[in-house]
Amino acid sequence: MFFANPRLQYPVRVDKPNPVFARALQQAIGGVEGEIRVMMQYLFQSWGSRGPMKYRDMLLNTGTEEIGHVEMLSTAVAMNLEGAPLSFQEEASRDPIGGAVLNGMNLRHILSTGLGATPENCNGVPFNASHVYASGNLAADMYANVAAEATGRALATRLYGMTDDAGMKDMLSFLIARDTMHQQQWLAVIEELGGMEAQLPIPNSFPQSQEKSEFAYAFFVHDADGKVPEGRWTSGPSLDGKGQFEPMLSKPLGEVPQLAPARPDGGAQTEQTSTTPPAGVTNP
Amino acid sequence: MFFANPRLQYPVRVDKPNPVFARALQQAIGGVEGEIRVMMQYLFQSWGSRGPMKYRDMLLNTGTEEIGHVEMLSTAVAMNLEGAPLSFQEEASRDPIGGAVLNGMNLRHILSTGLGATPENCNGVPFNASHVYASGNLAADMYANVAAEATGRALATRLYGMTDDAGMKDMLSFLIARDTMHQQQWLAVIEELGGMEAQLPIPNSFPQSQEKSEFAYAFFVHDADGKVPEGRWTSGPSLDGKGQFEPMLSKPLGEVPQLAPARPDGGAQTEQTSTTPPAGVTNP
Amino acid sequence: MFFANPRLQYPVRVDKPNPVFARALQQAIGGVEGEIRVMMQYLFQSWGSRGPMKYRDMLLNTGTEEIGHVEMLSTAVAMNLEGAPLSFQEEASRDPIGGAVLNGMNLRHILSTGLGATPENCNGVPFNASHVYASGNLAADMYANVAAEATGRALATRLYGMTDDAGMKDMLSFLIARDTMHQQQWLAVIEELGGMEAQLPIPNSFPQSQEKSEFAYAFFVHDADGKVPEGRWTSGPSLDGKGQFEPMLSKPLGEVPQLAPARPDGGAQTEQTSTTPPAGVTNP
Amino acid sequence: MFFANPRLQYPVRVDKPNPVFARALQQAIGGVEGEIRVMMQYLFQSWGSRGPMKYRDMLLNTGTEEIGHVEMLSTAVAMNLEGAPLSFQEEASRDPIGGAVLNGMNLRHILSTGLGATPENCNGVPFNASHVYASGNLAADMYANVAAEATGRALATRLYGMTDDAGMKDMLSFLIARDTMHQQQWLAVIEELGGMEAQLPIPNSFPQSQEKSEFAYAFFVHDADGKVPEGRWTSGPSLDGKGQFEPMLSKPLGEVPQLAPARPDGGAQTEQTSTTPPAGVTNP
Amino acid sequence: MFFANPRLQYPVRVDKPNPVFARALQQAIGGVEGEIRVMMQYLFQSWGSRGPMKYRDMLLNTGTEEIGHVEMLSTAVAMNLEGAPLSFQEEASRDPIGGAVLNGMNLRHILSTGLGATPENCNGVPFNASHVYASGNLAADMYANVAAEATGRALATRLYGMTDDAGMKDMLSFLIARDTMHQQQWLAVIEELGGMEAQLPIPNSFPQSQEKSEFAYAFFVHDADGKVPEGRWTSGPSLDGKGQFEPMLSKPLGEVPQLAPARPDGGAQTEQTSTTPPAGVTNP
Amino acid sequence: MFFANPRLQYPVRVDKPNPVFARALQQAIGGVEGEIRVMMQYLFQSWGSRGPMKYRDMLLNTGTEEIGHVEMLSTAVAMNLEGAPLSFQEEASRDPIGGAVLNGMNLRHILSTGLGATPENCNGVPFNASHVYASGNLAADMYANVAAEATGRALATRLYGMTDDAGMKDMLSFLIARDTMHQQQWLAVIEELGGMEAQLPIPNSFPQSQEKSEFAYAFFVHDADGKVPEGRWTSGPSLDGKGQFEPMLSKPLGEVPQLAPARPDGGAQTEQTSTTPPAGVTNP
């Protein structure tokens, strides 16, 4: 269960409100790289955790931290909206050239929330929990979390570069540092459990004897001219120590699939109930 | 640009069609761990690739391979639907106990496609491109790809275990092997570029001097009783070689945020236009 | 900011795991009447709160409580999945009639989470934050919260009736009681602020002189035969004490709208660039 | 069944078309506070109505009225788009400063509809029927309807304030008046049926003896420091006359949940198949 | 504006309620082939209609008819849910084999609506207005409408075949007939305006001199082996009378795209800021 | 299976990058009229094809072509983003008037992709596979494809008009030509199979004797005043040669539906468990 301290984890200060930056910040709230996503991801991973309890505990701590990041960013959005124009006439009176602010705003910040944040991304697309990974596989989840924190830190540094508001830069420098740690943290689990050799391929509980091993370390070339993009992945030992990389020209090993014709009572056209084209349909 | 060979990359054979397994297979087509997702992810990463061309090329090859995996799985769904009952009366005549097949099917396999696959997951939720990562950051993308292939291989092994159809097991053993390679392949890019020391924190182009470095390698404890879930992430050198892990009890460093009161013309209640409760509202 | 106690707010016990009930419980996690929704709704209302701080504080408390409800329900889902069959062959060996369990399950509970909860509803539709109300209007939010708790309590009582598992009934009897309180709580805010007379119409900050007052307390009859569905809403004083209810036959007060013809370079058909039908198109 | 009169319910006039206001108006069509939502909500509530027919009839009337509101707003959007620039060059020739109109438009108004409305909100997010409440519980539905009309009227007043177009203000003053009535109307149902005492808690058909009554009127405090946000909800009789409000410090009544370890064949990592950390994983 | 007659357009009768068929019927309400979709499509096309008023009028009539179809189907769903089991224990007492009904139901029919319809498809996926076409181009809309009615009639005939309930079959035979007419109706518009010669290519207002005419009537072969799937589309005059069909082997006419390297401050990895691989990265 | 040539199908050149046009181009990638949609639609139609193989082959060729169109457009988006400002300060230094570019951009082009395309539409709404038609009915699919190409060509011509960049116009003139062919191609299938007389009504496999034939060629008038919008659809022979068009005033043929009252244990209000209003509820 959870408790709240009404104070923020880290100070949020906006020196010069910018309603368009409020829109940009929404990406860090409800975007695929954002904090609602990691909050939900770590909490659901924790709540569904099977195996040693230490990982459940760790995930619960960090998931709980992330709720506070959503709070900080929501506060930052509201603060960037202070003083936003509520109408075309108001904007025009301040800015005779016009259009600059309202055009670039998420209008829901005016129309739907009265100058507050929404659980949406920077385009106003609502957060969608389909992008929450809690796979029941600890290693897969750790890599998903690294991906979340890597794209999350990229986002935060881009927001940092987008503004010259000292308060916002300060807040973002904190969030960026946290993302640094979180990238480390999930990789440390892999490391603690023996690293790539022990953890790969994921899931490591599936007997590799049951996979088509001849294709398990081959880079498939699908270039129409057979050109091989060489790299660490086309030669040398694999990173799990269990195979050797090699390039292989991909060729069709299967046949042309032919499905049964449609049933007469299945809602198809009559002409589909046979694989023979109907009488009169000859190719010119 | 692209070309197709009408033959399949690998044989798809169904010995005993199972319309409920057809539903399950949809997860590998349109699920968050599925093949449409990786197909789109690798192709968009390739098309937006900036920097050395070799990564664009590699991504294009593997993205192209994945289109063929969607094709194989769609064929497998259609084959598992051969002979599915189209009505309650038909089912009852075959199976006097009733309900067993239609109940467990994705009814759209009958009603919407006439016994073919859909770009949906196993619950019939349409594929949604919000879960496609193409971040413009090579390392972030590589970890996102590892996550996709790790959850993808977990899914494929679960499907492998769910069925005892020899044809389906054969197809899945191929896809599982490909997922093994693809996990390796993306990690090989990290390795090729110097490994974690060189690539972390992501993005490595952001000067770490601009992050709040005192929080960059600290594990924040949010346990209400201050219990620390110790592990590789609470002590020792960080994996990027740039810091030392340590636990830190998280405390509010910020203040209670107080937003400006609502504007009288902003669509709030009048009582919100001041931070003082209205007359007559005293706390008991 | 937030803290977690790893213990649950209230005991979660499952006496006889039921994987189909696990599917049903998902509605209380990720459904429109579920706990993720209220958690997000109360937290976003709190974070965007403008006006007296006491409402921000109250919302923060209850939003924080709701995170723990998602935790309880996620735990209940995982516990109901203990022992679920992972394959058709396993199910058949236990249940010779077959199909009963896998058919009724959310297959993602096997394929995607390894027997854990998802942030989805009972049909596997991911939670979508579009149904989070944080309107910036305190009274509107309170009514939205009552609606959420009323549908939420209806859901919880339906789940209570659906099962005869004593552990699950105990957990639900707790959640039902909390929903009772939460319905009260939001209405108490309306009451504290003067009740319907003071708070309606919402927003009460908009001058009613600017609305078309002749239509502000009239029940519009759209029955083709002019039949009036009489009730408290067709006569007597309005509940805000500001008008008298009356029925009114709705009639078109506007004209048939006629838009300008399409521009020749606007992507329409040429025939649409005039409001006159083209030559040769006469009505028979 | 339904009939249409091609005239509008109320005049729609645009004195000075504003394509950015057309974008804003979309919120009233396809937004969560918009008219498609209430149209669908009231109609589905009517069509699924169980119990006295008078409520079905009332809902059908108002649902039918709302279709005409969508029509009015769609007309208003199209009229605000008359004369919108179709290209960058056209805009530049009219407005040498540039960018003001196209930047702020929903580009689908040009690209997808040829200057007509879409069933989307002001950010171009398509209407999603997940936010349609038809709960089968009359009182819950009435509160959901009040919430819809309260947020709807807040939206309409914000749009009213956003523009100084006399025609648009006139149309909105009509819609605002209708929202006033609709708020009243749904509350009148609660009143007619005995008010809060009779109708709460919702559903009133569930025996309160089966809920954990000690928690049914307690305000749970989740503040980390135990601070109580006092108000009408922390003392005095409850609004349904069935209890006494009181504050209660929330404490964990449950235990730390411990799920069974993962099955070896369930797609987890091998290390998760026991709750004991693997050999070699000692906490530093 | 709109009016309602509380009677249904056509009788809806269910002889033997079937809660699983209720789930199937949902596809005709909220599915991509369903009635909400056509209702919205025809109404939005009407409301945005530019050009001769007769098409606006026709669309309004048929859009209004479709509202009544949603009503009929929603009624049919509710009637098929009469007597549905509300619990596992109730089902077990009726049906000792168990599982047959609840497994196959949309559980929201119990949990969320109290035995009423939802605006969802047969998988419980909410209707999403993204699939509403109102393109501002009359001919494009007419073909979109034909597609909607063709898939709609396929769906209705599949539902007709799925049940042997005489009441349901009667209702569906009416809806199927209406779909027959509606297919005709939209094609009649094309015919009235001169048929394919006059209306194609759509939009016919775009000067064909501005398209790359050498590719305007060529069937592009993307088969890897250059095999041509011959048919009416590979030779003979085109259907608009403006060209000659021919097959053409597709070849890359463009170059390999090379984007500029990433900016150092753009959130990419440092290695992406040049197109040259970093020192030490040599291809083996 | 599939192969790729890294060269583009047709040259993509941007003479003067325009980040707002990059946003507009996204509609052709991920919009409902866009290329991801047709790519998925044709491929899924091919993979689920039942009946003569020639249609499967044709669909596979064109679906494969479309992948390359997504590639071209994604490249065009990235090229239009070259040189886009990454910050407010950068924009201000270039453009002292300010706001013109960032306001009109999809901010995800900066924040999420580092100046690359996304699988989204011009409003940043992710591609959603719910709008992919693969109905299992060849004729229905062909009309769906015509609709896709008709709206697609309308979109492409609107984009053509929106820009005066010679490179972009050249690319679009190619895509427009391809849409011309694709409209033809799908209609040629209908023609090859006997045209409207043979193919309509769709599905032609359903015996028309089982539809309510008296309503199969009647235009239903739902105008409240009985006004008939006359046209080719109200008189003369139907286009399938199987009936005569006629107008018919629509009248309710069914009754007012009356559902059973709610069950006492079903989560409704007690007052709904009877169709009689409760005591004391009299109509004024």
Side-chain angles (χ1 to χ4, degrees), chain B residues 109-150:
Chain B
H109 282 164
I110 296 173
L111 297 175
S112 295
T113 67
L115 307 179
T118 57
E120 298 177 339
N121 79 359
C122 69
N123 288 321
V125 177
F127 176 78
N128 181 311
S130 65
H131 13 101
V132 170
Y133 277 108
S135 70
N137 181 295
L138 182 61
D141 283 355
M142 291 305 106
Y143 279 116
N145 295 355
V146 174
E149 296 285 349

Side-chain angles (χ1 to χ4, degrees), chain E residues 184-227:
Chain E
Q184 294 292 314
Q185 178 174 334
W186 315 121
L187 288 166
V189 173
I190 302 288
E191 188 93 348
E192 176 171 291
L193 294 172
M196 287 192 273
E197 292 80 359
Q199 292 297 306
L200 295 178
I202 298 167
N204 65 1
S205 58
F206 184 79
Q208 279 196 271
S209 59
Q210 294 180 14
E211 68 183 6
K212 286 278 156 198
S213 55
E214 60 269 43
F215 304 121
Y217 296 97
F219 178 83
F220 271 18
V221 178
H222 283 261
D223 184 275
D225 298 324
K227 188 186 144 211

Side-chain angles (χ1 to χ4, degrees), chain A residues 120-143:
Chain A
E120 298 178 340
N121 78 0
C122 69
N123 288 321
V125 177
F127 175 77
N128 182 311
S130 65
H131 13 100
V132 170
Y133 278 107
S135 70
N137 181 294
L138 182 60
D141 283 356
M142 292 305 105
Y143 279 116

Side-chain angles (χ1 to χ4, degrees), chain A residues 23 27 33 100 104 122-123 125 158 161-163 222-224 250-252 260 267-272 274-275 281 283, chain F residues 1-4 6 50-52 54 87-89 103 106-108 110-112 124 136-139 192 199 203-205:
Chain A
R23 167 161 70 105
Q27 189 66 21
E33 312 90 354
C122 69
N123 288 321
V125 177
R158 286 161 175 165
M162 186 175 270
T163 182
H222 284 261
D223 184 276
S250 193
K251 280 178 299 198
Q269 293 297 88
T270 300
E271 291 77 5
Q272 295 175 262
S274 162
T275 52
V281 176
N283 297 333
Chain F
M1 70 171 294
F2 297 83
F3 299 95
R50 294 176 181 278
K54 65 187 297 196
S87 66
F88 295 102
Q89 50 273 32
N103 278 0
N106 175 342
L107 291 181
R108 290 198 72 212
I110 296 172
L111 298 174
S112 296
N137 180 295
L138 182 61
E192 175 172 289
Q199 292 297 306
N204 65 0
S205 59

